Amino acid sequence: MKLNLIAGFALAFLTVASVTHAQDAAKPAQPTTNYDYHETFGPPFYTKNGTEYRAANGEPGPKYWQNRADYQIAATLNEDANQITGSEVLTYTNNSPQKLGYLWMNLEQNLFKLDSRGTAIVPPTGSRNWGRGQDFDAGFKIKSIKLIGAKGAETDVKYSVSDTRMQLFLPKEVTADGGVVKLKIDYSFVSPDYGSDRMGIQQTKNGKIFQVAQWYPRMCVYDDVSGWNTIPYTGPGEFYLEYGDFDLKITAPAKDIVVASGQLLNPQEVYTPEQLKRWEAAENSEKTVVIRTADEVTDPKSRPAGKTELTWHFVIKNARDASWGASASFIVDAAKMDLPSGKKAMAISAYPVESDGNDAYGRSTEYVKKSIEFNSAKWFEFPYPNATVVAGITGGMEYPGIVFCGYKARKASLWSVNDHEFGHTWFPMIVGSNERLYGWMDEGFNTFINTLSTADFNNGEYKNKRGNDMHRMAGIVTNPALEPILSQPANLKEKNTGILLYFKPSLGLTMLREQILGPERFDFAFRNYIDKWAFKHPTPDDFFRSMENAAGENLQWFWRGWFLNNWQLDVAVRDVKYVSDTPSKGSIITIDNLQKMAMPVILEIKTTSGKVSRITLPVEIWERNSTWTFNYPSTEEIESVTYDPDKVLPDINPDNNVWKK
């Protein structure tokens, strides 16, 4: 029996081989290809199974946990010395299953010390990820750290500072599964003039503008992936932070207006009666209402009388950070935002007279309002009471409920920076990915949603008129000299970060939405990812798994080619023949995949009579082939066959995309 089976298999093999050989002999010679279908569609992309913390479907598992950091901070601004002095009460909750005998905190201001690691890696040509050659008394000055006991007693805590991190040695371990420790930290620092394009001081004719960020010792994240996340802050990577509530009291000269993350709790103490009336009008207005006009900036009556200092009290809840701005030069305007739930929220802009005008920050609040309303309706509702833009030295930087933008921005550039920085509300403020490791999960995702909000704004007022010519962009985003997207930001050439953190991931999601899944399936899956990971800490695997499960599609070939590797796409239309050499009986079309990436195929076929039709072929044609031959039901001669006629796929070689009669 076995011998007969083997003989049968051998006969079948010889028969198939003979038929295949005969078919191959009828085809044109196949060109040399770099495509390896087993590599592209090969062994499973995921190397780990789902766990009780992170499920196989890309959602948080039944035992997912994350720790919490709540802050009460009182800070005072000394404008003459550019110094911020603060006292921070930190309540840290350990929800992990491990006891913690020590804690790690971030001290990002130490980046600007002349002996920091970040300073050491700045090239002679400079870097936007540091300062601008300023030599000053930089870094945090930690005055004291106290452990606050259950009855309020304070005990000194031993600590050690290492570059941009600080380790705290607790006298007693914080218990697992909900243990709490309360600390008081007194500190100060001098603000850099230009701080890594994330904060700084802008001089204007009516006073300094302070954009203040990374302004308090912040908890490092302790998670189920890496334990303590203590990668030093050297500039290129951004932040990874725990969620919590923030209670902020900021004392500044009375001539200043202060804006910050969250809700202002004492407006009657810091604004004039007339300004309070204007705020009330703005809360109910679809159009921008000016709270403090350009003419009032130099009018002492536009500030409360009889005070040398004022304390501004803000609260923001369930946020991963908080920041603020202060200046005597601020014009302030605002309007209400219409959110899906009907929740009350406002768009606010603060800017100097140098930024005023109908083509500049006079439209800033309009831009913020429309951007946030679009993304709230499309993806997930804006979670904060206010969305405030501060114009200053920073080109563009995002924080919960507040963003810093360049004061010279105008027209499309102002729309773009406002839209982008507030797009970060969704990534990473709501979906709290690790920016220090995976910058593309916030910058790239945000750049992608910006394309949709920009297309929507005023029926495309600032939409890219050139469109997305993927053939033109393919040579840029898949250049073999580039690192893969799945690289740490600090491990990329600085000149490549714009492509690899912003542009290429955004293009990948656009292709996934428009060419692979379709808008309906993509939007459902993307919303599902945002919803499941809102105010949590996803990894790339969580994103990839979540999209696959919600869309019902195995996308490992796509993740592998576009994100894990820097592969290229080159599909050629090789040949057209006719069945029995008779055009009316149908055509036989052959295409080749010449590079390592696979994508679905779009072909435009034009016959000699002028008839034009489109066909699409699924990506699975490349699952076990580098060449694909198929029948097309033509009834006349074919004039031309064009691959990717609309240039929506990243093909690097348009020269072989067209076969002509």
Side-chain angles (χ1 to χ4, degrees), residues 99 317 538 567 581 593 599:
K99 296 178 181 178
K317 294 182 179 295
W567 288 348
D581 290 328
N593 195 344
M599 287 292 287

Side-chain angles (χ1 to χ4, degrees), residues 351-406:
Y351 50 95
V353 293
E354 290 89 338
S355 305
D356 195 14
N358 291 332
D359 67 341
Y361 274 83
R363 292 189 70 187
S364 173
T365 291
E366 173 197 356
Y367 296 160
V368 173
K369 170 182 167 64
K370 293 300 183 182
S371 174
I372 289 177
E373 287 176 349
F374 175 85
N375 286 317
S376 293
K378 183 74 174 174
W379 306 118
F380 189 98
E381 186 167 279
F382 183 77
Y384 310 121
N386 294 322
T388 303
V389 174
V390 182
I393 197 169
T394 304
M397 187 60 200
E398 69 279 0
Y399 303 98
I402 191 169
V403 303
F404 300 159
C405 299

